Amino acid sequence: MGILDRFRLDGKVALVTGCKRGIGKGMAIALAEAGADIIGVSATLEQSGSEVEKLAQQTGRKFSAYSCDFGDRKALYGFINAVKSNHEQVDILVNNAGTIMRAPAADHPDDYWDQVIAVNQSAQFILTREFGKEMIARGSGKVIFTASLLTFQGGITVPGYAASKGAVCQLTMAFANEWASQGVNVNAIAPGYINTDNTEALRNDPERSESILSRIPAGRWGTPEDFGGPVVFLASSASDYVHGAIILVDGGWMGR
């Protein structure tokens, strides 16, 4: 098999959470372009006719749409059961869904903390455990978490988000330590400052926006399309000896 063939995902099924827009949408489309059928889920994803569905289907791949509030534990398990009932297997799990809630640490309310931890940390653990156990039984599978610069840094006014993204790093390594010997790769992608809904408040703040942009060696905000290459690599056999890694896609921010 040639090296480029190792990046193909023909015959694979990828479950991408948080796929309606932003980074998740970019990753879902890239995986479809590489040959994978897509199971897409977001809190408000349309059952049919979404833009991500149309773009994925334009590649010739299948797209199955689900909606789920990952902050609702009952709904989360309902979603997992529905996927297992409707699909033979999930070969690739992309844990991308997340939320962010901003308030100074001294005033950060319990409900902000609870919601962010539920969506960004607890749901990711449950999804990985439930689909990962089937990957272990088959002896193959790929799990990809979306981490963050705040996996490594504390951020400002987002203590819950920072805590949850720090946990994503530890979950990535914890799962990898147990599953690498069983044919399952678990890794993460850590985005830098990307032009998405999550960074709208920063981009609309002239002082913060200028401060951020001046530190990025690449000289620009990232785009969802910047994640196509990394996610296809981690989802494919080209990454079979990569376990517990956190790949930075940050325009050089962390090296500055």
Side-chain angles (χ1 to χ4, degrees):
M1 181 184 292
I3 184 59
L4 293 182
D5 293 327
R6 296 190 66 190
F7 287 85
R8 291 297 306 173
L9 300 175
D10 302 288
K12 302 295 185 181
V13 175
L15 168 54
V16 183
T17 73
C19 72
K20 183 173 181 177
R21 55 185 179 267
I23 293 171
K25 177 182 171 184
M27 292 196 291
I29 294 167
L31 292 167
E33 289 176 344
D37 290 328
I38 306 299
I39 302 169
V41 59
S42 287
T44 60
L45 183 63
E46 300 89 338
Q47 290 303 300
S48 64
S50 67
E51 184 178 4
V52 64
E53 177 183 43
K54 293 174 183 176
L55 291 171
Q57 290 178 339
Q58 285 175 12
T59 69
R61 307 315 310 164
K62 297 177 183 177
F63 185 94
S64 302
Y66 293 84
S67 59
C68 181
D69 175 4
F70 285 170
D72 180 331
R73 187 68 57 87
K74 183 177 179 180
L76 173 61
Y77 277 106
F79 163 70
I80 292 169
N81 291 335
V83 170
K84 290 186 176 185
S85 295
N86 297 333
H87 304 274
E88 183 176 349
Q89 67 185 50
V90 170
D91 302 289
I92 302 155
L93 171 62
V94 181
N95 282 314
N96 173 74
T99 189
I100 189 167
M101 305 186 83
R102 301 177 185 276
D107 302 311
H108 209 80
D110 288 355
D111 59 330
Y112 277 27
W113 174 271
D114 291 343
Q115 177 68 8
V116 171
I117 295 299
V119 174
N120 295 8
Q121 181 176 333
S122 298
Q124 314 251 354
F125 169 75
I126 292 168
L127 286 163
T128 303
R129 182 190 65 202
E130 294 303 307
F131 289 107
K133 65 178 63 177
E134 297 183 348
M135 295 177 181
I136 291 170
R138 294 193 304 270
S140 66
K142 303 282 186 173
V143 179
I144 304 160
F145 286 89
T146 296
S148 170
L149 291 181
L150 298 195
T151 296
F152 312 99
Q153 301 174 323
I156 299 171
T157 73
V158 288
Y161 185 83
S164 70
K165 290 302 183 177
V168 163
C169 174
Q170 298 305 113
L171 283 175
T172 298
M173 294 187 290
F175 279 118
N177 287 343
E178 294 191 37
W179 294 357
S181 64
Q182 301 184 70
V184 179
N185 297 75
V186 185
N187 295 288
I189 297 172
Y193 286 95
I194 312 301
N195 189 344
T196 66
D197 292 350
N198 272 4
T199 61
E200 184 176 6
L202 297 176
R203 288 181 287 108
N204 289 339
D205 182 331
E207 185 175 337
R208 287 294 306 282
S209 180
E210 181 180 356
S211 173
I212 289 167
L213 196 59
S214 67
R215 177 175 161 166
I216 301 173
R220 65 173 176 87
W221 291 75
T223 68
E225 291 72 26
D226 289 318
F227 294 85
V231 77
V232 169
F233 167 63
L234 290 178
S236 73
S237 65
S239 63
D240 280 353
Y241 198 59
V242 181
H243 296 277
I246 314 293
I247 296 180
L248 284 158
V249 182
D250 66 346
W253 175 280
M254 287 298 295
R256 188 64 177 264

